[in-house]
Amino acid sequence: MSKKIVVTGIGATTPLGGDVKTTWQRLLAGESGISTIEKEWIAQYEVPVTFAGQAAVPSAEVLTPQEVKRLDPSSQFALISAREAWADAGSPEVAPERLAVEFSTGIGGVWTLLDAFDTLKERGPRRVLPMTVPMLMPNGPAAAVGMDIAARGGVRTAVSACASSTEAIANAYNRLQTGEVDIVVAGGCEAAIHALPVSAFAAMHALSKRNDEPTKASRPYDTNRDGFVMGEGGATLVLETEEHALARGAKIYAELAGGAVTSDAYHITAPDPEGSGAARAVLATLKQAGATIEDVKHINAHATSTPVGDIAEYNALKRVFGDLLPGIAVTATKSSTGHLLGGA
């Protein structure tokens, strides 16, 4: 028999705020977290895109100096959001072997990797930090969270580009259904606002180039959209079975009713323009949840603001919901935060 999986804790650090409350208030107010990048590398490398959704609160203002030194920025965002979520869930007492982490990133420790390469070139191999490899690994954020809460029920990382953190939540759902663990801390993060990733995405013609109006650059589903806006940060959910949550008297935000993973096998970056893979994922999720298309009242769309991506997503939704789609509220939070890639 399928178990009810519920959300008992939430945490985030985003371009809109350093916590959930601030992020949510600014999002509801229609504010933008997109701003011009005031870094010397913009002019140094003549980076063609000069704005992004930068974290509203620097990690150094939240973490200890030692944590900042020993963690890549992506892991820093993961740890900050996870600590907020864990505290929000009441810092539950759970056997370490019954506690798991599913935490993802799309790119991983790119700042650590590129900084280490600069150090190697400029100062030689002896000056490369011994913590470089643990800091740059994609599973670094998950490991940081796992060690912080003493999770010994498995610490895993799904790396699947912009779907990474959503897949982590789906994986958490499946783990809880098996009964092998009682609580899973799930989420995602990204910290890739660096000259190389920004330049690479710009070379792909994936980024908006509205340097003169950054707060209006991310415009999902708009006919004049010209690309996504890079964002950074992290977000975390504490998930557990309803039975476990009720037994410990936890507050419950929502039920996680299902999740599914599919793939297009179409192109390395472009989605299937017909949206068939995404449509299959939605239908599989609804089936798992025991829901129908008539039950859906709100869709938080991926909505990256790219010319190709938004059309494919619309086609996917049209495939699933047909004539019901105009009556469903569709939101696009990336217009305020930018695209957090693996932290989306």
Side-chain angles (χ1 to χ4, degrees), residues 155-182:
V155 174
R156 304 192 307 185
T157 298
V159 180
S160 50
C162 312
S164 298
S165 51
T166 310
E167 186 171 341
I169 294 169
N171 290 341
Y173 175 93
N174 291 333
R175 291 214 67 197
L176 288 164
Q177 286 293 346
T178 68
E180 60 191 291
V181 293
D182 295 322

Side-chain angles (χ1 to χ4, degrees), residues 217-293:
S218 181
R219 43 179 77 189
Y221 289 12
D222 190 279
T223 54
N224 293 317
R225 66 193 183 281
D226 70 328
F228 76 85
V229 176
M230 286 275 280
E232 65 180 4
T236 303
L237 301 178
V238 175
L239 302 167
E240 53 192 301
T241 62
E242 182 184 50
E243 180 183 15
H244 189 270
L246 292 175
R248 70 180 188 86
K251 66 177 180 296
I252 294 175
Y253 285 103
E255 178 186 353
L256 175 61
V261 178
T262 63
S263 51
D264 286 351
Y266 175 79
H267 186 272
I268 189 63
T269 56
D272 175 359
E274 300 302 317
S276 59
R280 285 188 293 112
V282 174
L283 290 170
T285 299
L286 289 173
K287 181 179 180 180
Q288 188 178 61
T292 67
I293 59 173

Side-chain angles (χ1 to χ4, degrees), residues 2-122:
S2 179
K3 300 180 176 70
K4 263 194 174 183
I5 309 303
V6 296
V7 180
T8 57
I10 54 177
T13 180
T14 76
L16 288 171
D19 54 29
V20 168
K21 182 179 179 180
T22 306
T23 296
W24 186 238
Q25 288 177 338
R26 293 193 64 198
L27 186 65
L28 293 181
E31 297 181 32
S32 173
I34 314 301
S35 61
T36 299
I37 303 171
E38 304 289 350
K39 302 290 184 181
E40 62 181 21
W41 49 261
I42 290 288
Q44 179 182 358
Y45 298 112
E46 299 181 349
V47 178
V49 174
T50 62
F51 61 96
Q54 302 167 87
V57 178
S59 298
E61 295 183 13
V62 183
L63 301 176
T64 67
Q66 184 181 32
E67 288 170 334
V68 171
K69 182 179 180 180
R70 296 174 67 86
L71 294 172
D72 180 82
S74 59
S75 295
Q76 295 170 24
F77 292 142
L79 191 58
I80 291 168
S81 68
R83 282 176 173 171
E84 182 186 9
W86 191 246
D88 185 47
S91 301
E93 293 184 10
V94 57
E97 294 76 18
R98 304 285 298 173
L99 174 61
V101 174
E102 292 279 352
F103 213 97
S104 296
T105 179
I107 294 179
V110 65
W111 269 98
T112 294
L113 175 63
L114 296 173
D115 282 353
F117 189 50
D118 287 341
T119 298
L120 175 64
K121 290 186 296 181
E122 297 166 10

